[in-house]
Amino acid sequence: MLSGISLGQYIPGDSLLHRLDPRTKVIGVLAAAVSILAFANWQGFLLAALLTLTALLVSKLPPGIILGSLKSLWLLLVITFLLQAFLTPGTLLAVLGPLKISREGMFAAVEIVLRLALLILIAFLPTLTTPPIKLTAGLESIISPLRRLGVPAHELAMMMTLALRFIPTLLQEAEVVISAQRSRGAGFTTGSPARWARSLLPLFVPLFAGALRRANDLAVAMESRCYRGGANRTRMNALKFSAADYVVIGVTMAVLAGVIALRFV
Amino acid sequence: MDEVFIAVKDLTYIYNRDNAGGYRALSGIDLEVKAGEFLVIAGPNGSGKSTLARLFNAMLKPSGGRVIVAGMDTMIPENVWEIRRRVGMVFQNPDNQIVSSLVEEDAAFGAENLGLPAEEVQKRVAETLRLTGLSQYASHAPHLLSGGQKQKLAIAGVLVMRPSCLVLDEPTSMLDPAGRDELMETLIRLNRTMKVTVVLVTHFMEEAVLADRVVVLSDGRIAISGPPAMVFAEVELLAGIGLKLPAALEIAHGLRKRGFPLPQEILTIYDLLAYFKNKALED
Ligand SMILES: Nc1ncnc2c1ncn2[C@@H]1O[C@H](COP(=O)(O)OP(=O)(O)OP(=O)(O)O)[C@@H](O)[C@H]1O
Ligand SMILES: [Mg+2]
């Protein structure tokens, strides 16, 4: 039951998007996100939407997965729509009791929901099409120039790697603890919020103690395998840009430039 | 075979030496691990086995005496990383020594830490996964492997550094019997075919039977050391320390006490069965 967390989880595949360098995907999605936030007219919107749709089609992900991210965030979309529609003053369009909808409100609501939906659709593409371990390597490489400013790029990436490694293990452990406590008559899902919180204590205490022991063991094991930080370390799968990567970065940057240019025409 | 790989001389180790409540975990240990040897270190809980294992790869530094690995003193800081490369460590809990969420990436970790070029790392990873029988799981998530497979991955993770010696601290204690057999078979194969020195820390006496030599620790000292047949002959001494004999030896010992003249070479159930079969044929 705890392993059912799957929003944005990697879906193996062999599309162009799957094969791109992880850095390309991160940079491309950032450029697309800025375009989506920056468009100021329908031409700009069309350009950003076209980029998003193309990316989704190229990913060859099943439509159910793509719409899944929208579905799990539908409440956010609805609330944003309603707030925008009801709270924008302007020419009156309709009155529902104490609530008034203006023409401007309607337009603003549609616009912001379109922006949000596009953002959600594109934001999950890197995690959906890249194994986490590669994404981590990509992020490390992207932030590594910041090392000179004191950003611990390697350490952050190692933390992410270890978190990815141990989340499934901790979930498995949590399930064991839950069923052990259940078998002794503990309930985790009933009662008032205070009682519920208290009932979680017997779950978190052993989990936390276990995690500390793991961390200690792991540090010893890593040092035994000659780990001494990021200096001098190499990578088995070095990241490499291919022609496709340059094309994709070029296209996304062109779209971004186009959207921004369109703001001024 | 007679070349000394690890030389331990008059070794003492004291935990929390700076505090008043320092605890002497090892005292006066003299020991030589020969290159290519399969050595078992046995002993009851708290006898100092893990402490000794960690002194072998410079995770701990002696409080007194010396540990020399392939001619390098573990006290000298410049030697530490080469010693850790040469002495690969595998620990008890299979989950707590895997660093990556991908089997092949985990196997690569040690080689990457050595700063080897990517092609060399790939070559070594393929080779060690093959040696440990994990090639087909290269792109799996480690948490989906069985306990025995996880321990084999831990072995692959150190083999990738091309060590001369494997030190394993109770690697089978969290495994089911099938996983235990699988792991022991892998260790014996690596020892016989690759000439890897194996130091196996265990409190399962069944595993000690397979060794070239057994060292028994008790209260931080070496109680007895020698070939398995010799060590297991000291039934009273072992019982006094609190170590249980393997089942076959327990039976053999009981029979001897009742007047059956069984030979000392009987170490396993199979030896025992073979002996009785021969006996039956002779009669
Ligand atoms: N970090 C530590 N600080 C203080 N004392 C310790 C520490 N680690 C171990 N000891 C003590 O040193 C002694 C030897 O411990 P060690 O872990 O080497 O035993 P062991 O033979 O490996 O036992 P086990 O079979 O339980 O693994 C024990 O009495 C233990 O309590
Ligand atoms: Mg121990």
Side-chain angles (χ1 to χ4, degrees):
Chain A
M1 81 184 174
L2 289 168
S3 327
I5 303 161
S6 66
L7 185 63
Q9 217 169 53
Y10 174 57
I11 310 285
D14 191 34
S15 71
L16 170 66
L17 218 61
H18 282 85
R19 275 175 279 130
L20 284 179
D21 188 291
R23 290 169 295 181
T24 307
K25 293 185 233 188
V26 172
I27 294 168
V29 163
L30 284 178
V34 176
S35 317
I36 290 166
L37 292 172
F39 71 73
N41 45 29
W42 66 268
Q43 294 97 326
F45 161 73
L46 231 60
L47 217 50
L50 205 66
L51 178 65
T52 307
L53 280 181
T54 314
L56 292 176
L57 285 178
V58 167
S59 78
K60 292 195 189 146
L61 288 168
I65 299 279
I66 292 171
L67 295 177
S69 52
L70 275 186
K71 238 193 314 194
S72 43
L73 293 171
W74 67 272
L75 200 62
L76 177 72
L77 292 174
V78 170
I79 291 175
T80 317
F81 183 90
L82 293 178
L83 285 179
Q84 208 46 255
F86 287 125
L87 297 180
T88 314
T91 335
L92 219 54
L93 208 63
V95 182
L96 301 167
L99 301 170
K100 302 182 181 69
I101 300 178
S102 66
R103 222 178 103 84
E104 287 81 355
M106 212 53 208
F107 277 122
V110 169
E111 183 198 316
I112 194 145
V113 163
L114 279 176
R115 274 194 220 271
L116 262 183
L118 286 179
L119 266 183
I120 292 168
L121 286 173
I122 198 108
F124 287 107
L125 273 185
T127 60
L128 282 167
T129 61
T130 323
I133 201 100
K134 269 193 157 173
L135 205 56
T136 311
L139 288 174
E140 176 178 5
S141 162
I142 289 174
I143 58 175
S144 65
L146 300 180
R147 248 196 319 240
R148 250 168 277 148
L149 305 176
V151 177
H154 169 74
E155 286 73 9
L156 286 172
M158 183 52 80
M159 275 166 60
M160 262 172 75
T161 305
L162 293 178
L164 286 169
R165 154 71 187 90
F166 279 96
I167 286 167
T169 305
L170 291 177
L171 287 177
Q172 282 174 346
E173 193 164 88
E175 277 178 11
V176 171
V177 175
I178 287 176
S179 46
Q181 310 279 26
R182 276 239 173 87
S183 72
R184 288 185 225 147
F188 288 107
T189 40
T190 50
S192 68
R195 271 188 54 191
W196 179 73
R198 215 170 322 131
S199 78
L200 286 179
L201 213 59
L203 170 62
F204 281 110
V205 170
L207 270 187
F208 196 68
L212 285 181
R213 198 193 53 238
R214 275 183 204 290
N216 190 42
D217 284 3
L218 190 68
V220 171
M222 285 169 70
E223 271 194 63
S224 292
R225 283 159 82 183
C226 294
Y227 178 71
R228 43 183 149 166
N232 294 327
R233 226 177 103 73
T234 47
R235 283 268 184 184
M236 170 168 68
N237 297 313
L239 298 174
K240 232 168 69 197
F241 280 127
S242 65
D245 290 293
Y246 292 112
V247 172
V248 169
I249 290 182
V251 168
T252 49
M253 289 302 165
V255 168
L256 177 59
V259 167
I260 290 173
L262 280 169
R263 285 179 74 110
F264 300 106
V265 288
Chain B
M1 178 86 185
D2 280 317
E3 190 192 330
V4 175
F5 180 64
I6 303 178
V8 176
K9 292 177 194 148
D10 195 24
L11 172 68
T12 302
Y13 190 80
I14 303 171
Y15 281 106
N16 308 319
R17 188 158 47 148
D18 310 330
N19 305 353
Y23 181 85
R24 182 179 281 261
L26 292 173
S27 29
I29 304 277
D30 280 298
L31 176 68
E32 286 185 345
V33 181
K34 307 269 183 346
E37 173 173 47
F38 195 125
L39 177 72
V40 159
I41 297 179
N45 289 112
S47 56
K49 305 182 297 291
S50 300
T51 309
L52 184 57
R54 286 175 190 205
L55 281 149
F56 285 159
N57 83 334
M59 286 301 294
L60 297 177
K61 307 287 156 64
S63 309
R66 287 262 171 282
V67 177
I68 314 284
V69 178
M72 295 174 286
D73 191 329
T74 59
M75 282 300 270
I76 299 171
E78 292 83 76
N79 291 341
V80 164
W81 300 104
E82 179 59 13
I83 288 174
R84 292 200 184 145
R85 183 190 76 71
R86 297 272 207 112
V87 181
M89 284 277 240
V90 174
F91 299 90
Q92 181 171 21
N93 188 323
D95 274 317
N96 298 0
Q97 45 192 324
I98 297 172
V99 282
S100 176
S101 45
L102 203 61
V103 166
E104 63 172 1
E105 290 263 355
D106 187 75
F109 185 70
E112 292 176 335
N113 290 337
L114 297 178
L116 298 170
E119 310 80 66
E120 176 67 15
V121 178
Q122 282 161 2
K123 202 184 99 201
R124 289 191 182 193
V125 166
E127 176 190 294
T128 51
L129 289 181
R130 187 167 44 72
L131 275 173
T132 46
L134 293 173
S135 300
Q136 76 218 75
Y137 305 107
S139 49
H140 279 223
H143 74 276
L144 301 175
L145 299 178
S146 73
Q149 289 169 333
K150 282 181 195 166
Q151 284 301 52
K152 287 204 260 181
L153 175 57
I155 292 176
V158 296
L159 282 182
V160 83
M161 303 187 293
R162 301 253 168 95
S164 333
C165 175
L166 289 179
V167 176
L168 307 102
D169 190 355
E170 306 202 31
T172 58
S173 67
M174 296 180 77
L175 303 183
D176 56 14
R180 202 172 289 167
D181 290 348
E182 225 178 297
L183 196 72
M184 289 306 292
E185 184 266 323
T186 306
L187 285 181
I188 289 168
R189 186 161 41 81
L190 288 171
N191 179 248
R192 303 249 163 94
T193 63
M194 311 276 301
K195 305 278 175 269
V196 177
T197 311
V198 174
V199 177
L200 175 65
V201 173
T202 184
H203 61 237
F204 288 114
M205 285 300 155
E206 272 78 7
E207 293 172 0
V209 161
L210 303 164
D212 295 322
R213 194 154 63 100
V214 182
V215 171
V216 177
L217 288 185
S218 165
D219 271 336
R221 294 176 181 279
I222 295 182
I224 181 171
S225 133
M230 185 199 125
V231 169
F232 289 127
E234 301 290 332
V235 181
E236 270 74 45
L237 186 133
L238 293 179
I241 294 171
L243 284 179
K244 237 172 88 67
L245 286 181
L249 285 161
E250 196 90 60
I251 296 170
H253 181 64
L255 287 172
R256 266 186 220 116
K257 269 212 305 222
R258 284 167 185 75
F260 283 91
L262 291 179
Q264 288 293 348
E265 292 79 60
I266 291 181
L267 290 176
T268 65
I269 286 287
Y270 305 105
D271 297 347
L272 203 59
L273 285 177
Y275 174 78
F276 282 121
K277 226 186 215 160
N278 277 334
K279 196 91 178 134
L281 287 178
E282 277 169 32
D283 295 346

